[in-house]
Amino acid sequence: MNVAENILEKADALFNKYGIRSISMDEIARELGISKKTIYQYFKDKDDMVYQITRNTIEKDKSEFEAAMKQSGNLVSALVQMSKCLRENFNKINPSLIFDVQKYHPQSWSMWMDYKNDFIFNTILNTIEKGKTEGIFRQEINAEILAKFRIEQVQMSFDEKIFPRNKFDFKEVQLALFDHFVHGVLTPKGLKIYDDLTKPKGNA
């Protein structure tokens, strides 16, 4: 790992733990045991750091998404793996970090929204459309509406104003919403595959 990567890794950990706005460049330098001047040799300012962290996170998430899709044996499995990736990636993020990016780092927020509304949306959309041709997803559903709904459903579950963490378990909320979603879009054939995938091992 080179110096720039090491700085980004430490900054990412601090931002995720405490939020972006509450962490200064001095604190990042102190945690790394280097001077603030050294940080500025690699990054223009904190906004530049946030942008590069966001870009790296998106590229990592894309790779995980694509790997999960390739490992899926069928389209229902692909949908399950896709939702697992979304759940795990969102669960790593501190809600205050999302708020700070949205409010104080517009370029990074725009990049994140493009990723969500382009890459993730089209991946879900294409899965549903293909599943309809294979008789796994219901023919009458509007794939575009349901793909958008699924993305917002994941994001909604992360909103502490709707599902406060002191009352709801994040994973439980995600699994409940996903189960509700698949029962609304799958045909009996698709539901049979889903039940086989999610049935606890050892059951008949």
Side-chain angles (χ1 to χ4, degrees):
M1 185 183 294
N2 61 37
V3 176
E5 290 170 341
N6 193 37
I7 293 171
L8 286 181
E9 184 180 84
K10 177 57 69 175
D12 188 21
L14 289 170
F15 293 159
N16 239 317
K17 189 173 183 179
Y18 301 107
I20 297 170
R21 199 175 180 210
S22 62
I23 295 295
S24 68
M25 299 294 264
D26 285 309
E27 287 169 308
I28 295 170
R30 187 163 56 249
E31 283 289 325
L32 285 161
I34 61 177
S35 68
K36 190 164 64 171
K37 183 178 179 181
T38 301
I39 294 178
Y40 284 120
Q41 289 176 2
Y42 297 93
F43 307 99
K44 289 186 296 184
D45 49 29
K46 191 199 286 187
D47 190 56
D48 182 28
M49 294 178 73
V50 172
Y51 185 86
Q52 294 196 46
I53 289 170
T54 303
R55 183 188 59 199
N56 292 346
T57 300
I58 287 173
E59 290 306 313
K60 183 174 177 289
D61 288 355
K62 279 183 178 181
S63 296
E64 290 176 357
F65 237 102
E66 289 166 349
M69 294 294 287
K70 286 177 183 176
Q71 293 168 7
S72 303
N74 56 65
L75 291 173
V76 178
S77 176
L79 194 63
V80 170
Q81 290 299 320
M82 203 183 311
S83 291
K84 182 181 178 183
C85 279
L86 282 172
R87 182 170 66 248
E88 290 177 349
N89 291 340
F90 270 90
N91 198 31
K92 296 173 190 172
I93 303 172
N94 185 329
S96 65
L97 185 145
I98 293 179
F99 175 81
D100 286 349
V101 172
Q102 185 175 8
K103 189 168 184 180
Y104 304 109
H105 304 278
Q107 281 188 304
S108 297
W109 182 251
S110 177
M111 180 167 47
W112 170 256
M113 293 303 291
D114 286 345
Y115 165 62
K116 185 184 87 167
N117 295 323
D118 183 11
F119 179 81
I120 298 177
F121 168 75
N122 282 311
T123 302
I124 297 174
L125 176 68
N126 293 336
T127 301
I128 295 175
E129 290 286 17
K130 189 175 180 183
K132 288 169 72 172
T133 67
E134 296 183 7
I136 294 174
F137 291 83
R138 293 164 46 205
Q139 288 293 324
E140 67 273 21
I141 64 174
N142 184 309
E144 186 173 0
I145 291 174
L146 270 298
K148 285 183 178 292
F149 170 73
R150 178 60 191 144
I151 293 172
E152 296 306 319
Q153 190 183 51
V154 173
Q155 190 156 322
M156 177 186 70
S157 67
F158 196 72
D159 190 335
E160 291 209 49
K161 288 179 287 189
I162 301 173
F163 295 107
R165 293 294 178 92
N166 61 354
K167 185 176 180 181
F168 296 96
D169 177 75
F170 178 75
K171 184 177 180 180
E172 185 180 350
V173 170
Q174 273 292 325
L175 291 174
L177 293 177
F178 179 66
D179 190 69
H180 177 270
F181 174 76
V182 295
H183 277 83
V185 299
L186 295 178
T187 62
K189 175 183 174 182
L191 283 171
K192 173 65 168 59
I193 298 171
Y194 176 67
D195 288 340
D196 289 343
L197 281 170
T198 56
K199 185 190 301 179
K201 288 178 171 59
N203 285 11

